[in-house]
Amino acid sequence: MDIKLDPSRDDLPLMANTSHILVKHYVLDLDVDFESQIIEGTIVLFFESGNKFKKQSSSTEETYPSESNEACKFRTPEPCHIPVTNTRTVSSKMGYNDFVIRGKGEKDTSGKDGNHDNQEQASGISSSKYCCDTGDHGSEDFLLVLDCCDLSVLKVEEVDVAAVPGIENFTRSPKLRNQIVRELVALPADRWREQLDYYARCSQAPGCGELLFDIDTWSLQIRKTGAQTATDFPHAIRIRYTTKPQGRSVTWTSDQSGRPCVYTMGSPINNRALFPCQEPPVAMSTWQATVRAAASFVVLMSGENSAKPTQLREGYSSWHYYVTMPMPASTFTIAVGSWTETKPEICSSNDLVTERSFSPFEADFRYVGVCGHMEYPCRFQNASATTQEIIPHRVFAPVCLKGACQETLLPLIPPCLSAAHSVLGTHPFSRLDVLIVPANFPSLGMASPHLVFLSQSTLTGMSQLCGTRLCHEIAHAWFGLAIGARDWTEEWLSEGFATHLEDVFWAKAQQLAPDEAQEQQELRACLRWRRLQDEVRNSPEDMQVLRPNKEKTGHVSDSGSSVIKHGLNPEKVFMQVHYLKGYFLLRFLAKRLGDDTYFSFLRKFVHTFHGQLILSQDFLQMLLESIPEERRLELSVENIFRDWLETSGIPQPLQRERLAGAECGLARQVSAEVAKWVRVNRRPRKRKRKETEVLEKLLPDQLVLLLEHLLEQKTMNPRTLQRLERTYHLSEQDAEVRHRWCELVVKHKYTKAYRNVERFLQEDQAMGIYLYGELMVSEDARQQQLARRCFELSREQMDRPSAEVVAEMLF
């Protein structure tokens, strides 16, 4: 069933047959090897099957129809009577801190001499091509399909959970393996500790027979001879595998101090090159993971606990994390490196208060039934958590950036967390780690449960860029994580909300007066309007649509498989249409309701839908019900779909609003400054006269707007550019300002500042892609040489999509 796709054009397939069987929990047991640049180990998957996972409508066509109705041809492997993986007896007294802790020397080394990419040898499967129906019918064996890419799968086996010591005290059916798992995944939320403990014990149980498997570009297919339905298929399986150094979900690189590190940023293929999993968002699961690495490394992960290392022999440490809130596998994130924790120089009494941890697992279950999600220990049901404005947090970075974090980032986290709580209420997650990632990280930030990645570019200049980006990622805790999109083509449900809320959070974090907050938000709207216009002019029309699947949004095939529209197009990573159009839609709706009503509604929406997946209409229908009939003015879900979500270009309501709107005060101030600089630029060089222009001190966003206006000038002489740089200290400003300054330098071939461009391309890789294009378009030999030199210095460390886009520009 191998599918060959054109990465520049095709949609990303989600192959897992989630309609038949769902992963409810993953147990990962991994070793990180920096020498070979692989992560290896096992993953145990616990399943739940049943008709309730069938899709609501059976009319949708199969995304990838079968090429043949013939049964898949597998060869039977040799019987496996002696378990190969971890045959140690598991003590029934195994405690909470003992989950899957093994020494480096205790790894299973079976099969190390084989060629594991030869699946006929590794799995005993016929090498003939096949394509099987994955349904529950006929005399064929049931086929489990997992999303998988860039992995070497060494072995798949059923886990004998019935062999766990003491299991008879837990289950009514101690001899029925699938029944044990069914009871385990169905445990109520208040037994979460017991559940995690038994997951860990079961994951270490011996194997009881190898399973047939095959692997292709996008999936891993597994079957058990004689198991004809998902109900009969083993509900606990162990997969032994290794990642590959070039796997697209895992980035091996060096940090800013020159030390090796690795982090996961699976976009656009998510985590399928980190572990075999079910990628469709509907496959909500929990996980626990034990990760071993050399003792000099720190392991950070999207987990509810602030893990501490357990020292092992041979200079290795083990770290254990877990989550009890079911989320898509794509949200799992890991980062391993020589990170240093940055702490406040002086810990005030206020800091001590905010660091008190209110665990979600101390929940008051009197509130059970209030939430609409599947059962888990929910913070929204915890009276202490609902009033906790600032959750416990830590900051990690390479040692060379410790000072910058202490000065810029650390003081911003408490006010930003408090601001978010004041707007949306209960923090969905119990704690937060923030990591400054390596220079090759291709974005300003990324949020995952309990862990936020920030680019080093946020640490320069004033606190504006760091604060707004931090607020953006904090907003994702609610929109993108606690509330996810049921169809990943609806990115605006995550990015549009985070972009809109970052302004609101940041204004509150700065404790701005209402009129001052309004002015700053209007200025940012002005900047985003300019970016949206530019984006629409320079991107393909079909990639400007926020709801490209239209009425088929959320539909899946009979098996549960689906696709992500344009998911493999490398240009999509750099587009901001979903951020910008989503932001302007929410701004439009907030104005229609009025801010007080809108944010009151938003808190209600969060309380209603946290822990769930939504489509656009879920939000829009609930919102419109909150608007009095007389204020709707022909607003309807259908009209919003038509005007905002299902058409390319700039929405007509937004066009009308921008044409009718007056320029805000901060923007008018910038316009006056632009006029002064235009006059300065026109003065004859020979005339020596006393400078009379009084230049205003501008906010970072005003500087961005000023430089964008000056970019529209046909010519600017070196003398003006030099004075401009000195007046505003442009080379010392934040990355947004410096980016516009570099554009000016390139446009006007201001050679004295080429060093600023080189520095930006090296240190601000998250934002520098566009500059490479500007350097090449000029057809200036010196600028093109500069671009190629910088690319050669960076390309080995640059993430793959960025490197592909830049290489296309340069060669």
Side-chain angles (χ1 to χ4, degrees):
M1 197 157 66
D2 204 354
I3 300 170
K4 302 297 183 186
L5 298 173
D6 177 0
S8 66
R9 185 187 67 233
D10 283 307
D11 306 330
L12 176 68
L14 304 179
M15 306 289 285
N17 52 335
T18 55
S19 292
H20 303 139
I21 190 167
L22 278 180
V23 179
K24 301 301 290 182
H25 189 76
Y26 298 94
V27 178
L28 295 99
D29 187 34
L30 303 173
D31 288 281
V32 179
D33 188 335
F34 281 95
E35 231 175 90
S36 58
Q37 294 195 338
I38 64 169
I39 298 174
E40 61 180 336
T42 62
I43 182 169
V44 178
L45 292 76
F46 295 87
F47 296 99
E48 187 174 62
S49 63
N51 292 331
K52 62 183 175 179
F53 303 129
K54 292 289 185 184
K55 65 188 184 65
Q56 294 177 349
S57 168
S58 59
S59 61
T60 309
E61 292 184 4
E62 187 72 50
T63 309
Y64 295 104
S66 299
E67 297 171 5
S68 167
N69 290 325
E70 293 182 14
C72 302
K73 296 173 182 156
F74 291 82
R75 280 189 323 185
T76 306
E78 293 297 314
C80 179
H81 301 297
I82 302 173
V84 177
T85 308
N86 197 4
T87 58
R88 294 180 303 140
T89 301
V90 182
S91 168
S92 61
K93 295 181 179 179
M94 185 180 203
Y96 162 74
N97 290 319
D98 298 317
F99 293 140
V100 203
I101 304 298
R102 282 204 313 247
K104 182 77 172 178
E106 297 176 76
K107 289 191 305 177
D108 178 7
T109 56
S110 60
K112 287 286 177 88
D113 297 326
N115 175 5
H116 305 306
D117 289 327
N118 181 340
Q119 292 306 315
E120 185 174 358
Q121 178 180 350
S123 65
I125 293 178
S126 167
S127 61
S128 60
K129 285 290 178 185
Y130 66 89
C131 183
C132 289
D133 187 350
T134 59
D136 297 359
H137 59 81
S139 60
E140 301 170 6
D141 292 334
F142 171 77
L143 184 69
L144 169 69
V145 181
L146 298 174
D147 293 298
C148 176
C149 181
D150 301 335
L151 294 177
S152 292
V153 176
L154 313 180
K155 180 181 178 181
V156 183
E157 63 181 346
E158 182 176 0
V159 179
D160 187 7
V161 295
V164 173
I167 199 70
E168 66 277 1
N169 299 322
F170 166 75
T171 176
R172 298 187 301 273
S173 309
K175 294 183 179 179
L176 301 176
R177 290 189 290 268
N178 280 7
Q179 184 58 33
I180 291 171
V181 176
R182 277 193 282 267
E183 291 180 37
L184 177 56
V185 301
L187 281 177
D190 59 351
R191 295 177 67 183
W192 69 272
R193 286 187 183 274
E194 181 184 2
Q195 186 180 47
L196 284 182
D197 185 45
Y198 271 105
Y199 276 136
R201 296 184 193 192
C202 289
S203 73
Q204 291 210 2
C208 57
E210 291 190 45
L211 301 177
L212 306 162
F213 72 92
D214 194 18
I215 190 167
D216 60 29
T217 304
W218 294 110
S219 68
L220 170 66
Q221 302 114 35
I222 305 169
R223 71 165 65 239
K224 178 182 180 180
T225 302
Q228 296 182 9
T229 69
T231 304
D232 297 331
F233 187 81
H235 279 33
I237 67 171
R238 180 186 294 116
I239 302 171
R240 177 164 290 282
Y241 73 99
T242 71
T243 64
K244 297 181 180 180
Q246 300 305 315
R248 282 167 279 179
S249 299
V250 186
T251 300
W252 299 89
T253 186
S254 298
D255 67 19
Q256 292 86 340
S257 296
R259 297 177 179 178
C261 63
V262 61
Y263 64 86
T264 58
M265 184 178 178
S267 182
I269 69 162
N270 295 323
N271 277 324
R272 66 182 70 189
L274 177 63
F275 57 90
C277 56
Q278 291 182 329
E279 281 285 5
V282 70
M284 306 256 279
S285 59
T286 52
W287 58 76
Q288 61 198 91
T290 297
V291 178
R292 286 171 296 280
S296 59
F297 292 102
V298 173
V299 177
L300 301 176
M301 195 183 296
S302 43
E304 290 166 13
N305 57 313
S306 298
K308 302 295 181 186
T310 300
Q311 297 304 315
L312 306 175
R313 62 180 177 273
E314 299 178 21
Y316 280 81
S317 295
S318 175
W319 302 70
H320 182 79
Y321 289 88
Y322 60 84
V323 298
T324 59
M325 175 182 174
M327 282 171 288
S330 61
T331 63
F332 180 97
T333 305
I334 184 172
V336 184
S338 301
W339 322 122
T340 300
E341 183 177 357
T342 301
K343 297 180 179 179
E345 290 182 340
I346 301 174
C347 188
S348 69
S349 57
N350 288 337
D351 293 329
L352 292 173
V353 171
T354 62
E355 286 300 313
R356 180 186 169 194
S357 175
F358 294 95
S359 169
F361 316 119
E362 298 167 3
D364 183 345
F365 284 92
R366 290 174 302 174
Y367 298 99
V368 167
V370 173
C371 301
H373 52 69
M374 65 182 81
E375 191 179 1
Y376 65 84
C378 178
R379 285 175 56 80
F380 285 77
Q381 301 172 27
N382 183 332
S384 298
T386 57
T387 58
Q388 186 183 21
E389 294 182 20
I390 303 170
I391 55 176
H393 52 275
R394 304 182 297 180
V395 172
F396 292 87
V399 66
C400 64
L401 294 176
K402 185 175 180 179
C405 288
Q406 211 157 36
E407 184 180 343
T408 303
L409 174 58
L410 204 56
L412 291 174
I413 297 178
C416 290
L417 287 171
S418 180
H421 181 273
S422 72
V423 176
L424 295 180
T426 307
H427 288 281
F429 302 104
S430 57
R431 68 174 198 93
L432 177 66
D433 283 342
V434 181
L435 172 66
I436 301 299
V437 280
N440 69 339
F441 188 71
S443 168
L444 284 178
M446 185 184 81
S448 63
H450 317 281
L451 177 61
V452 161
F453 289 172
L454 283 184
S455 165
Q456 65 177 23
S457 296
T458 62
L459 298 178
T460 57
M462 298 168 63
S463 60
Q464 163 87 9
L465 182 58
C466 189
T468 54
R469 194 66 203 195
L470 182 61
C471 286
H472 183 101
E473 304 308 336
I474 288 172
H476 277 312
W478 287 268
F479 291 95
L481 295 174
I483 300 174
R486 208 169 86 205
D487 187 317
W488 281 335
T489 61
E490 294 202 304
E491 291 173 68
W492 82 273
L493 288 171
S494 174
E495 299 301 351
F497 275 92
T499 304
H500 188 227
L501 287 167
E502 76 177 63
D503 293 356
V504 180
F505 292 177
W506 182 232
K508 287 187 176 293
Q510 296 175 91
Q511 299 182 328
L512 298 180
D515 57 340
E516 195 176 354
Q518 177 71 18
E519 275 289 302
Q520 288 197 13
Q521 289 172 22
E522 288 294 336
L523 178 62
R524 291 177 71 78
C526 173
L527 287 168
R528 291 188 180 117
W529 167 245
R530 296 172 64 88
R531 283 175 207 164
L532 179 59
Q533 289 177 301
D534 187 61
E535 188 107 342
V536 166
R537 281 192 296 266
N538 296 292
S539 62
E541 282 193 12
D542 59 342
M543 294 178 71
Q544 299 173 18
V545 180
L546 302 196
R547 196 170 179 261
N549 293 334
K550 299 186 178 179
E551 70 278 358
K552 291 187 177 180
T553 301
H555 288 206
V556 297
S557 69
D558 285 327
S559 71
S561 63
S562 59
V563 297
I564 302 176
K565 198 78 172 171
H566 307 299
L568 289 174
N569 191 324
E571 292 182 24
K572 188 173 184 294
V573 178
F574 307 104
M575 293 185 62
Q576 293 192 343
V577 167
H578 291 79
Y579 294 72
L580 298 171
K581 287 176 76 170
Y583 156 80
F584 278 114
L585 169 57
L586 295 171
R587 197 167 181 271
F588 168 79
L589 294 172
K591 281 189 173 182
R592 182 65 63 90
L593 266 73
D595 279 353
D596 290 345
T597 304
Y598 175 77
F599 287 108
S600 175
F601 156 77
L602 210 55
R603 285 177 76 125
K604 180 182 175 185
F605 179 80
V606 164
H607 195 275
T608 302
F609 282 100
H610 71 273
Q612 300 175 65
L613 302 173
I614 64 169
L615 297 173
S616 294
Q617 54 264 40
D618 296 317
F619 171 75
L620 295 173
Q621 285 168 355
M622 186 172 172
L623 177 79
L624 292 176
E625 288 169 6
S626 303
I627 305 178
E629 188 68 40
E630 65 275 9
R631 296 181 63 186
R632 288 191 196 174
L633 301 176
E634 299 182 359
L635 266 188
S636 66
V637 173
E638 293 74 20
N639 290 347
I640 294 171
F641 279 171
R642 182 195 66 214
D643 294 341
W644 291 88
L645 302 182
E646 294 182 353
T647 55
S648 60
I650 295 176
Q652 286 301 315
L654 178 58
Q655 288 269 28
R656 291 192 293 268
E657 177 197 300
R658 298 308 301 182
L659 288 172
E663 195 175 45
C664 70
L666 291 176
R668 287 196 300 273
Q669 190 179 4
V670 171
S671 296
E673 291 299 290
V674 171
K676 294 176 186 176
W677 283 107
V678 170
R679 288 195 294 272
V680 167
N681 191 52
R682 286 175 183 165
R683 285 176 189 154
R685 184 163 187 168
K686 291 181 182 178
R687 286 183 64 186
K688 298 225 173 176
R689 53 183 277 180
K690 198 171 182 181
E691 301 291 354
T692 57
E693 302 283 6
V694 178
L695 298 165
E696 300 285 346
K697 185 177 179 181
L698 301 179
L699 298 171
D701 283 337
Q702 287 181 298
L703 280 175
V704 170
L705 185 58
L706 171 73
L707 295 174
E708 288 188 359
H709 279 305
L710 293 178
L711 274 164
E712 296 166 2
Q713 296 297 309
K714 192 171 182 180
T715 59
M716 290 193 73
N717 61 58
R719 177 170 41 88
T720 304
L721 291 169
Q722 183 181 45
R723 186 178 170 199
L724 185 72
E725 197 280 331
R726 288 177 177 173
T727 300
Y728 300 117
H729 308 286
L730 293 177
S731 60
E732 301 167 20
Q733 296 290 341
D734 69 36
E736 290 278 12
V737 177
R738 287 186 288 110
H739 186 272
R740 305 314 190 282
W741 167 237
C742 288
E743 288 183 74
L744 264 180
V745 168
V746 171
K747 178 175 179 177
H748 299 293
K749 299 180 176 61
Y750 181 43
T751 56
K752 285 185 178 179
Y754 278 3
R755 65 187 182 281
N756 295 156
V757 179
E758 292 189 46
R759 175 192 160 203
F760 195 91
L761 292 176
Q762 296 297 305
E763 298 179 8
D764 299 284
Q765 293 181 33
M767 302 174 66
I769 303 302
Y770 177 76
L771 271 182
Y772 280 105
E774 293 295 296
L775 288 164
M776 298 306 292
V777 164
S778 68
E779 297 188 357
D780 178 85
R782 185 170 175 183
Q783 289 192 358
Q784 292 185 345
Q785 185 182 14
L786 185 156
R788 292 192 177 101
R789 183 171 65 252
C790 288
F791 184 56
E792 285 305 314
L793 290 171
S794 306
R795 72 183 306 171
E796 289 303 314
Q797 299 289 333
M798 197 175 283
D799 80 295
R800 185 183 298 184
S802 300
E804 288 174 0
V805 170
V806 174
E808 193 172 330
M809 293 175 184
L810 269 55
F811 304 109

